[in-house]
Amino acid sequence: MPASSKTISLKDAPAMLAGLDLLSSAVLILDNAGRVIYANPAAEHLLESSFKALANQALDSLFLNGSDLASIFVEAVQHKFADKRLDLVLERPGRVPLHVHVIVTALDSPDTPVLIELRENVQQLKLDREERLLEQGQANKELIRNLAHEIKNPLGGIRGAAQLLELELPERHLKELREYTQVIIKEADRLQTLVDRLLAPHRRPHIVGDVNIHEVFERVRSLMMAEFPSGLSIRRDYDLSLPEFRGDKEQLIQAVLNIARNAAQSLSDRIKAGDAELVLQTRVARQVTLAKVRYRLALDLHIIDNGPGIPEDIRDRIFYPLVSGREGGSGLGLTLAQTFVQQHLGVIECASRPGCTDFRILIPLP
């Protein structure tokens, strides 16, 4: 038997429509041909289109994979269910896909048979992203251990052989040939330094003490002002009520400094023009979930720059080792920053567009 349905008519329900206008979730009402005849303000915002543009559009034309919703609409018209809930990824031309929880309700009305509610899965997306970051961090550790093992032993042998070879060079050709042995030795030393930097966060002990996050930010600010004395403005936006917490001050300084230095290096053109800006912001976030654990309070730290933004092709990989958007960059700064923050049970997130890149650090408070 068909499921029971809800009786509703747009003509007879102005109060109901006024109520839908106040909802934070997107609502679409469709006619019997599957065309949009009502969209609340939240739907206009979510779909980035006015009701005038959405009106009378067929449901399956709104999304590249709209056939998924269209088939559910047919089931609703046939009263195969009263309401149906599912998670979908709705693809749109020229825009990012929408990850939404969809509620399709069958209405007992020949003119308006179906109501669709779309709720963006922001929290689920955030949890998935954090889980990927943690998995990525673990994979990075395994990669670094294996890399160190595979590189360090032969590297020592190469350097030692080059030194011995240099001792055996004939005196009359020593000056010319020594140039080549020195290249081998110096390149071996450079690779050794790279491996040591990769291993640094895993070797260094985690020294815990009372930390004032503003002392961390002020230390970073003074270092950045010394490194970039002109052309870069560093603005403070602090919440001075933030409490002290237990953490490794030196690790946190290094993490924030790596992010701030990366930001400043991306601002090279604006520094030359004299209008580069870096914002150091501290806030508190409430009821935060990190790595599937709920915390009542968390430090909410931001390092924001007005640079060109992170190239789209590496935006999802910026925390991977050896990935850099800057020519000559080592690709280790953000990897180390992420490792240090994860040792404080926190995460680093990034939102970037031309003119504004915002690195957000979340660290739970007791």
Side-chain angles (χ1 to χ4, degrees):
M1 287 183 66
S4 62
S5 55
K6 299 178 183 178
T7 302
I8 191 171
S9 169
L10 288 186
K11 296 178 182 177
D12 301 330
M16 187 276 297
L17 291 183
L20 294 179
D21 284 347
L22 299 175
L23 288 179
S24 59
S25 54
V27 174
L28 301 172
I29 297 179
L30 310 177
D31 66 11
N32 51 18
R35 295 186 297 261
V36 177
I37 57 172
Y38 169 80
N40 70 348
E44 294 179 293
H45 176 73
L46 180 67
L47 301 178
E48 300 176 65
S49 295
S50 66
F51 173 61
K52 188 174 180 180
L54 293 170
N56 295 316
Q57 282 204 52
L59 180 64
D60 57 2
S61 70
L62 296 178
F63 309 103
L64 295 176
N65 58 341
S67 57
D68 297 341
L69 274 177
S71 61
I72 299 170
F73 167 80
V74 172
E75 293 178 8
V77 170
Q78 295 171 352
H79 292 288
K80 291 186 177 179
F81 56 79
D83 57 67
K84 190 169 190 174
R85 299 165 181 261
L86 67 161
D87 292 319
L88 289 176
V89 179
L90 300 175
E91 298 174 359
R92 304 178 293 166
R95 296 190 177 109
V96 295
L98 287 174
H99 295 253
V100 290
H101 180 68
V102 183
I103 305 173
V104 181
T105 303
L107 307 175
D108 190 13
S109 169
D111 298 325
T112 59
V114 177
L115 181 148
I116 295 179
E117 184 177 357
L118 305 173
R119 299 177 183 172
E120 199 167 7
N121 282 335
V122 176
Q123 187 62 25
Q124 186 59 47
L125 285 173
K126 184 173 180 294
L127 289 174
D128 290 345
R129 186 169 61 248
E130 288 175 0
E131 193 169 345
R132 284 198 306 274
L133 285 173
L134 289 171
E135 289 174 357
Q136 174 195 316
Q138 192 59 41
N140 286 346
K141 289 178 184 178
E142 292 301 319
L143 168 67
I144 288 166
R145 289 192 191 101
N146 293 334
L147 185 68
H149 177 73
E150 294 297 328
I151 291 177
K152 291 196 72 172
N153 291 338
L155 201 59
I158 291 169
R159 192 184 193 284
Q163 287 177 314
L164 291 173
L165 181 61
E166 190 172 286
L167 294 174
E168 298 297 323
L169 292 176
E171 190 67 35
R172 60 179 178 171
H173 298 301
L174 179 61
K175 187 174 181 182
E176 309 94 81
L177 297 178
R178 189 171 181 271
E179 179 182 344
Y180 301 115
T181 56
Q182 282 299 304
V183 167
I184 298 171
I185 292 169
K186 287 176 181 176
E187 286 303 294
D189 288 343
R190 185 178 66 82
L191 286 174
Q192 180 66 56
T193 302
L194 180 65
V195 172
D196 287 343
R197 285 189 65 195
L198 280 168
L199 289 172
H202 312 291
R203 285 176 170 170
R204 189 175 181 278
H206 190 51
I207 303 171
V208 177
D210 291 331
V211 178
N212 182 323
I213 196 59
H214 296 116
E215 290 180 2
V216 171
F217 269 45
E218 283 299 292
R219 174 76 177 279
V220 171
R221 183 179 181 275
S222 64
L223 291 170
M224 291 298 297
M225 292 300 290
E227 190 171 345
F228 301 91
S230 62
L232 175 64
S233 168
I234 302 180
R235 181 161 60 87
R236 305 177 180 97
D237 183 6
Y238 295 164
D239 178 354
L240 298 179
S241 67
L242 294 181
E244 289 191 346
F245 65 102
R246 301 289 290 174
D248 187 321
K249 185 176 179 180
E250 292 304 317
Q251 282 191 355
L252 291 171
I253 289 172
Q254 192 62 56
V256 176
L257 181 61
N258 285 0
I259 296 171
R261 185 174 284 139
N262 262 24
Q265 288 166 346
S266 75
L267 289 167
S268 55
D269 291 340
R270 283 191 173 273
I271 288 174
K272 290 175 186 174
D275 62 351
E277 183 180 62
L278 201 61
V279 180
L280 303 178
Q281 185 182 87
T282 64
R283 294 289 187 272
V284 65
R286 290 176 171 78
Q287 301 303 326
V288 173
T289 301
L290 300 173
K292 298 183 179 180
V293 179
R294 190 77 167 173
Y295 297 96
R296 190 175 64 87
L297 295 173
L299 288 175
D300 188 1
L301 315 174
H302 295 260
I303 299 98
I304 306 167
D305 70 71
N306 63 342
I310 298 168
E312 193 169 346
D313 59 332
I314 65 166
R315 205 166 286 173
D316 294 333
R317 300 181 290 116
I318 55 173
F319 295 108
Y320 288 13
L322 310 179
V323 173
S324 176
R326 181 173 53 85
E327 189 175 346
S330 68
L332 294 178
L334 294 180
T335 303
L336 297 180
Q338 183 75 281
T339 300
F340 289 142
V341 170
Q342 285 177 348
Q343 288 180 359
H344 289 79
L345 306 179
V347 296
I348 305 178
E349 300 174 349
C350 178
S352 182
R353 57 180 171 79
C356 180
T357 296
D358 181 358
F359 278 90
R360 183 190 192 197
I361 302 174
L362 286 167
I363 297 176
L365 290 171

